[in-house]
Amino acid sequence: MQESDPHSEATTPVIVPRPEHTISRANISENALKVLYRLRQERFNAHLVGGGVRDLLLGREPKDFDVATDATPEQVRQVFRNCRLIGRRFRLAHVHFGRDIIEVATFRGSGADQDVEDRRLESGMIVRDNSYGSIAEDALRRDFTINALYYDIADFSLIDYADGLTDLRDGQIRLIGDPQQRYREDPVRMLRAVRFACKLGFNIDLATEQPLFELGHLLEDVPAARLFDELIKLFQSGYALQAFEKLRHYGLFAQLFPATETSLAREDQGFPITFVSRGLANTDQRIRESKPITPAFLFAILLWEPVRQRCAQLESEGVSVNEAMMIASAEVCAAQQPLITLPKRFALPMREIWALQARLEQRDGKRPYRLSTHPRFRAAYDFLLLRAEAGETDPELADWWTRFQATNSEGRATMTSSGKPGGRSRRRRKPAKSTSDIKG
Ligand code: ATP
Ligand code: MG
C-alpha cells in the first residue's frame, strides 16, 4: 500500500491494489458492472464510488451502486440507449435496467476556471453545480471521507484521496475540508452526518460534530421537498429512534419539527411524553419484521403531540371533539408544510389516522362494523395501540378492538350488543383518558 504524505497536496491518493482489499466483483450488481465495463470499453475512466464502495468494505450489502466517470452526461447518453439525463442542480445520467437504475455522475471540478453559471453559490449554498473536473477534484467535493472511495474498474484497485480508509477503519464520520463551509454549501449534509452515524454505528468526528449544534438554522433554506426525501431516508431505514434522539441532541429536530419540539417540552400529568419515541421504536420494529411502513403513519407519529395538545385545548374551550381535531390538524399541517413538504397522498391518510381516533371510542351498534371497513382502519388501529402503550388512552379500548377483529360474527354481535362493549363490564373500566385530559 502506498503511504499518504500528510504534507503533500491531497492530490496524491492512497492506492490499494486488488489483492490487498476485500471488494469482489461477485458482490457488485450485474447492472453496475455492465455500466462500468461498457464505459471502460469506450475508453472512459469508470469507478464505483460512494455508498457502494463504503458498504462493501464494511461487509454490508449496499443499497445502490453509484458510478463516477470522466465521460460527460451527454457522452454517457451516447454510450447507453437506456439512459436519461436528470437534474438541474447536479446533472446526472441514469442508466435504466427495468426497475434498477445505475446513477452515473461525471467527475465534478472546483469550478475555478469554468463558466460561473456552471457552479453557482447563493449565500454560501450551492444551487447549481455542473463544472466537470478530475477524479482528484471530484473526491474532495464529496461529503464525508468514507464516501469518497473509488473502485477502479480498469485494475480493480481502491483509490483514496481523503483518508477515507483510515476513517472507515476507525468508525469516524468526517467531512472533507472545512466543516462550517461544507455545511453552508449544503445544509443537508448535517442530516447525512446523523444518518451515517446511525446507519453505520460510527462516531461523528469532533470538528464535524461541533457545527451541528450551531448551524441547524441553515436547514430553513433547504427546499422543503428535498427535506422530505432526506427525512424518509433517515426515519424509514430501521434506526428512526436513534435518529430522532440524535436530531434532538443537536437541536436539529427543533428546526425541522418546531411544533413537536415545543409539545415535547411539556409534560403529561408529570410524566415525560413518550409517544414519539415509542412510535419510532415501533417503526424500527416493523422494518425488522419486514412489515409495511408508510410516510403517512410516520408523520402521523411525528406530528401527533402538537395535534393532540391543541385539540385538548380547543375541547377545553368547548369545541366538539371532531371539530377540535379538524382545526388542530389543519393548523399543525399548515405550520409544518412550508418546512417539510408532505405530499398530499401521505398528508390525507395521515389526517384520517388522527380523525379516526375519536371514532374508535364509539363501540356500540353498527359503528364498529362500519369503521372496520374504512380504508384507514388498520392504520388507525395500529395508532391506537401506540397511544394505549404510551398511556394516553385506556388499554382496554385497544384490547377491545384487537378482540373485535379476531372474533367471528357471533362474537362481534355480543361485543356490540345493546350499546355495551363486550368482555369486561363497563363499570370496571377505568375512565378512558380522552385527548382532553392533557392541558395544552
Ligand atoms: P446510501 O446510498 O447508503 O444512502 P450513499 O453514500 O451512497 O449512501 P447517496 O445519496 O447515494 O449516498 O450519494 C452517493 C455519493 O454521492 C455519496 O457517497 C457522496 O460521495 C456523494 N454525495 C451525496 N450527497 C452529497 C452531498 N450532499 N454533498 C457531497 N457529496 C454528496
Ligand atoms: Mg448510494
Side-chain angles (χ1 to χ4, degrees):
M1 192 194 281
Q2 208 175 302
E3 284 299 307
S4 71
D5 173 3
H7 303 293
S8 77
E9 282 291 298
T11 43
T12 322
V14 171
I15 295 177
V16 187
R18 179 188 190 181
E20 291 173 31
H21 65 73
T22 54
I23 293 189
S24 148
R25 270 167 292 164
N27 298 323
I28 302 172
S29 84
E30 210 178 296
N31 295 333
L33 285 173
K34 269 189 212 160
V35 171
L36 290 165
Y37 284 137
R38 191 69 223 286
L39 285 167
R40 181 75 199 136
Q41 220 176 21
E42 298 292 325
R43 304 265 170 258
F44 292 114
N45 288 316
H47 305 78
L48 209 60
V49 67
V53 180
R54 177 197 70 218
D55 291 351
L56 285 178
L57 286 169
L58 290 171
R60 294 165 156 262
E61 195 185 328
K63 203 180 75 203
D64 49 37
F65 290 97
D66 299 306
V67 169
T69 179
D70 57 356
T72 64
E74 285 71 22
Q75 287 171 321
V76 175
R77 181 161 57 182
Q78 277 158 23
V79 175
F80 300 98
R81 261 181 308 129
N82 48 335
C83 175
R84 272 191 217 134
L85 301 190
I86 60 140
R88 217 180 76 84
R89 186 165 157 277
F90 296 131
R91 200 139 175 78
L92 293 169
H94 272 180
V95 185
H96 291 251
F97 299 90
R99 292 187 58 186
D100 189 22
I101 295 174
I102 304 297
E103 197 165 282
V104 183
T106 305
F107 294 144
R108 298 220 160 81
S110 59
D113 54 353
Q114 310 225 0
D115 185 349
V116 285
E117 259 306 292
D118 282 334
R119 181 152 199 260
R120 221 171 70 209
L121 285 102
E122 278 175 12
S123 57
M125 200 160 99
I126 301 176
V127 290
R128 189 178 155 90
D129 191 3
N130 280 323
S131 69
Y132 304 127
S134 64
I135 181 172
E137 288 173 293
D138 185 78
L140 303 184
R141 299 285 300 285
R142 293 187 176 266
D143 49 5
F144 305 102
T145 60
I146 57 167
N147 285 348
L149 295 163
Y150 298 78
Y151 172 78
D152 189 346
I153 202 65
D155 60 4
F156 313 115
S157 64
L158 258 182
I159 309 175
D160 179 5
Y161 284 93
D163 225 1
L165 286 169
T166 309
D167 286 335
L168 204 60
R169 195 181 321 117
D170 298 346
Q172 293 290 321
I173 307 289
R174 188 193 315 274
L175 274 169
I176 298 170
D178 174 52
Q180 286 263 349
Q181 186 197 335
R182 299 307 309 280
Y183 286 134
R184 284 182 195 283
E185 280 174 4
D186 182 1
V188 165
R189 288 172 186 151
M190 294 191 277
L191 303 180
R192 289 175 61 87
V194 169
R195 178 153 76 87
F196 293 124
C198 295
K199 167 174 162 155
L200 306 172
F202 278 25
N203 268 324
I204 305 178
D205 168 74
L206 202 64
T208 297
E209 183 182 41
Q210 219 46 42
L212 295 177
F213 291 105
E214 298 146 23
L215 299 182
H217 62 94
L218 295 176
L219 290 169
E220 279 167 22
D221 301 328
V222 177
R226 187 164 174 229
L227 283 183
F228 173 75
D229 293 342
E230 207 53 43
L231 287 171
I232 289 303
K233 287 190 210 164
L234 197 52
F235 284 124
Q236 294 198 338
S237 304
Y239 40 76
L241 178 57
Q242 214 197 330
F244 168 67
E245 284 168 353
K246 279 204 202 305
L247 289 180
R248 286 197 83 197
H249 176 68
Y250 295 124
L252 298 174
F253 189 78
Q255 199 63 48
L256 297 163
F257 295 94
T260 307
E261 179 65 32
T262 309
S263 73
L264 290 174
R266 300 202 183 102
E267 288 187 338
D268 181 356
Q269 302 179 353
F271 293 100
I273 290 163
T274 60
F275 179 81
V276 183
S277 319
R278 283 170 194 272
L280 295 176
N282 176 263
T283 303
D284 292 341
Q285 178 69 21
R286 289 182 70 92
I287 291 169
R288 276 195 294 278
E289 293 169 358
S290 306
K291 289 187 182 162
I293 47 164
T294 155
F297 198 84
L298 174 70
F299 277 77
I301 293 169
L302 288 166
L303 297 172
W304 173 241
E305 275 307 320
V307 169
R308 185 175 71 104
Q309 292 183 12
R310 177 70 177 127
C311 224
Q313 189 191 12
L314 288 163
E315 280 181 59
S316 74
E317 291 165 7
V319 181
S320 75
V321 181
N322 289 331
E323 181 124 351
M325 177 55 73
M326 249 170 51
I327 297 172
S329 64
E331 281 180 9
V332 169
C333 290
Q336 185 66 36
Q337 207 63 5
L339 300 172
I340 300 165
T341 312
L342 180 60
K344 262 211 186 83
R345 66 181 187 284
F346 302 127
L348 294 178
M350 170 184 78
R351 292 173 69 160
E352 281 180 312
I353 291 170
W354 293 337
L356 290 183
Q357 294 310 301
R359 283 181 61 189
L360 284 163
E361 300 203 5
Q362 302 165 353
R363 289 177 276 173
D364 48 323
K366 293 276 167 239
R367 286 172 165 173
Y369 294 92
R370 273 203 301 275
L371 188 54
S372 65
T373 61
H374 190 287
R376 226 60 67 198
F377 168 74
R378 187 66 207 193
Y381 161 75
D382 284 340
F383 202 79
L384 178 74
L385 290 183
L386 284 176
R387 291 178 56 221
E389 227 185 85
E392 193 191 294
T393 183
D394 193 336
E396 192 270 332
L397 176 65
D399 257 15
W400 188 91
W401 279 104
T402 307
R403 282 183 287 116
F404 182 81
Q405 292 173 84
T407 190
N408 56 18
S409 53
E410 257 170 59
R412 288 183 174 193
T414 327
M415 288 177 80
T416 55
S417 64
S418 63
K420 283 187 190 142
R424 283 182 269 160
S425 86
R426 207 169 217 183
R427 263 176 292 117
R428 278 180 36 219
R429 190 159 64 92
K430 276 187 293 172
K433 241 204 285 174
S434 85
T435 50
S436 54
D437 288 348
I438 309 300
K439 298 286 170 270

